[in-house]
Amino acid sequence: MGAYRIEQITLLDPIRRQRMQTDISMEDGRIRGLGAPPSAGEQVIDGRGLYATCGWIDAHVHTYPHPKTLGVDPMSMLKDGVTAVVDAGTAGPGNFQDFYQNWLQKSPLRQKAYLNLAYMGISEGTVELQDLSTVSLEACRETAAAYPEVILGFKLRIDPRVCHEPEKALALARKLGDETGKPFVVHASRSTLPIDTILSYMRTGDIYAHTFAQKTPGILDESGHLKPAVLEARARGVRFDLSHGNGNFSFSVAERALAQGFLPDAISSDIHVRSKERVGSLALVMSKLMACGADLWTVLELVTGKAAAMLNLPEDCTVGVGHEANLTLFELHEGAYSFTDSDGMPKMGACLIAPKGAVLGEQVYL
Ligand SMILES: [Zn+2]
C-alpha cells in the first residue's frame, strides 16, 4: 500500500479550464488530498515545473500482440502519460478471448476494445474483409455480449486492399449496430467510396477514424471546404476521431478543418508496432494539433473529457479527493519546434507537450 505526495505541481482541469498550484497526496490508490498536510511515511515527488491532469485517454491504439498483429506494449504508453486506451479492432470474434484472457485482463492500464467484424481481426495482414462470407454477425453479437464491460462496439476497415465490397461491409456494420445498440468505427482511408455514402451508414455515436487524412475519401472538397455530408454527420452525432497512425494525419487538412471550426471529437495516436516510430506519442500528436491552431485547453480536453464522451465512458475526468488516483504528468515547453505530419510535411509549432509519466491506482510510472 503506497502513499505518495507530488509537491508544488500545477494541476490543470481541462473541463472546467481551471489551474491550481498544489500538492497532490495519494494513498492506497486514491487521492487523499489536494493541498492537504503531509502524512508520515509518504514518498515525496518533486512536482516543480510539472503539470498534471486526470489521466489521458488514447481512443485508438493497437495493443493485441498476436504474432502477426500490430500490438504495442501498453507499459510504454503509461510512461508517455496515457492511462486508458482503446484497442481499435485488432481482434475479432475468433481471437478476442485470447486477447482478453492473456492481455487485456493483465494490462497495467485501463483498456477497452472495439471488436473487428472480421473473424480473426487484423491478425492476417491487410486482407481481413476480402471475403465477406466469413463475417459472422452472430459471432460478433455473442462476443460483444460476453464482454460487455470491455467491448465498446465494432470496427471495420473498408480500405480497398482490405475489403472489395465496402458498401456491403458497411451494411453489415449498420445491421450489427442496430441489433446491438453499440457504435462502430470505420477506417475509410484510401476508400474509393464517396464520403457521403460512407457517412450515410453512420448514426449517432458511430466513429469516423483518421479524420484528417489527406487520402481519399477526405473530409474537404477541392476548394478546401468541409464537405456538407461531414457537417450533416456531425450534426446528427457521428463522431470524428483523429487517429494519426502511419499515414493518416495531414497538417494541411487539419489546419483547414480547424480554421472552419471543425475540431476532432478526440485526439488519438493509432500507435501500433509499425507506426510507433512515426507517431511517437499521444503528446506529440497533441502538440501537432496545437501547431494547426488548437489551444492547450482544447487538446487537453480532447484526450480527457471529450475522449470519454466520444467513447461513452463513465469517467468524470476530474482529479478530486476520494477519486481513484489517475494522473498524467507532463512538461510544457515553449519555443520553435519542427513537427512532421504523416505525409512527411513539416510544420513549425510554438508548444511542445512532453510527457513525464502517469499515476494509476497504486502505481507511479515515471
Ligand atoms: Zn488503427
Side-chain angles (χ1 to χ4, degrees):
M1 300 289 165
Y4 299 92
R5 174 183 186 79
I6 308 177
E7 287 189 339
Q8 296 186 59
I9 195 163
T10 303
L11 176 62
L12 303 178
D13 179 339
I15 297 154
R16 286 164 199 81
R17 308 216 160 181
Q18 291 170 348
R19 69 159 64 205
M20 69 193 282
Q21 184 88 19
T22 191
D23 300 340
I24 306 174
S25 306
M26 291 160 283
E27 197 169 45
D28 299 339
R30 301 213 158 258
I31 307 286
R32 179 176 67 79
L34 298 174
S39 82
E42 64 190 357
Q43 188 184 323
V44 174
I45 298 165
D46 184 0
R48 282 174 297 177
L50 276 181
Y51 291 79
T53 60
C54 61
W56 294 347
I57 301 165
D58 193 335
H60 184 139
V61 300
H62 296 273
T63 57
Y64 180 33
H66 181 281
K68 280 193 194 166
T69 62
L70 310 164
V72 292
D73 178 3
M75 191 60 90
S76 64
M77 298 183 187
L78 278 162
K79 294 200 168 144
D80 283 339
V82 173
T83 62
V85 298
V86 183
D87 180 276
T90 317
N95 48 7
F96 195 84
Q97 189 183 12
D98 174 50
F99 183 26
Y100 181 78
Q101 286 181 346
N102 295 312
W103 309 98
L104 289 177
Q105 268 192 321
K106 298 173 185 168
S107 171
L109 45 61
R110 296 175 174 185
Q111 286 210 53
K112 305 279 183 189
Y114 288 98
L115 181 73
N116 206 305
L117 258 68
Y119 194 70
M120 295 302 280
I122 53 175
S123 61
E124 311 280 305
T126 49
V127 295
E128 74 265 14
L129 288 178
Q130 285 187 2
D131 180 0
L132 290 177
S133 72
T134 61
V135 172
S136 165
L137 294 191
E138 194 185 347
C140 290
R141 279 194 305 269
E142 281 173 4
T143 307
Y147 303 95
E149 300 299 315
V150 179
I151 295 178
L152 299 176
F154 306 97
K155 167 83 188 286
L156 74 162
R157 296 197 295 177
I158 54 167
D159 182 320
R161 298 174 307 177
V162 175
C163 176
H164 299 149
E165 297 173 290
E167 273 212 76
K168 218 167 160 181
L170 284 164
L172 289 172
R174 178 71 271 136
K175 187 161 187 276
L176 196 52
D178 290 341
E179 285 171 356
T180 59
K182 289 185 184 288
F184 63 82
V185 181
V186 177
H187 160 123
S189 291
R190 292 195 180 86
S191 177
T192 49
L193 281 182
I195 199 165
D196 309 42
T197 308
I198 297 164
L199 293 170
S200 73
Y201 286 92
M202 301 175 73
R203 308 273 184 273
T204 305
D206 293 334
I207 298 170
Y208 184 90
H210 312 303
T211 294
F212 297 140
Q214 183 82 62
K215 303 182 180 95
T216 59
I219 60 167
L220 304 177
D221 66 18
E222 280 166 12
S223 61
H225 294 106
L226 288 156
K227 292 175 180 169
V230 171
L231 296 170
E232 286 160 17
R234 165 156 283 178
R236 68 171 185 276
V238 173
R239 313 292 197 164
F240 291 84
D241 176 38
L242 190 147
S243 27
H244 186 297
N246 241 343
N248 290 306
F249 180 77
S250 153
F251 282 137
S252 104
V253 175
E255 199 167 24
R256 286 193 167 104
L258 262 56
Q260 292 167 70
F262 190 89
L263 283 164
D265 288 291
I267 298 173
S268 63
S269 66
D270 192 12
I271 279 184
H272 50 73
V273 166
R274 291 202 293 271
S275 73
K276 176 87 177 90
E277 203 179 324
R278 184 167 291 183
V279 179
S281 67
L282 182 63
L284 189 55
V285 183
M286 294 158 70
S287 304
K288 289 184 190 181
L289 202 68
M290 289 184 75
C292 292
D295 64 28
L296 177 66
W297 284 122
T298 298
V299 296
L300 291 172
E301 198 179 16
L302 286 169
V303 296
T304 56
K306 295 270 187 186
M310 183 184 87
L311 299 163
N312 213 11
L313 299 176
E315 309 270 331
D316 70 359
C317 296
T318 57
V319 178
V321 176
H323 288 208
E324 186 189 10
N326 176 23
L327 299 172
T328 294
L329 311 176
F330 56 100
E331 290 175 353
L332 291 173
H333 300 287
E334 284 179 12
Y337 298 97
S338 176
F339 300 111
T340 308
D341 70 9
S342 58
D343 301 320
M345 300 302 288
K347 186 164 191 61
M348 295 304 290
C351 181
L352 180 70
I353 303 171
K356 290 290 154 187
V359 181
L360 186 58
E362 295 187 25
Q363 299 296 321
V364 177
Y365 303 88
L366 291 174

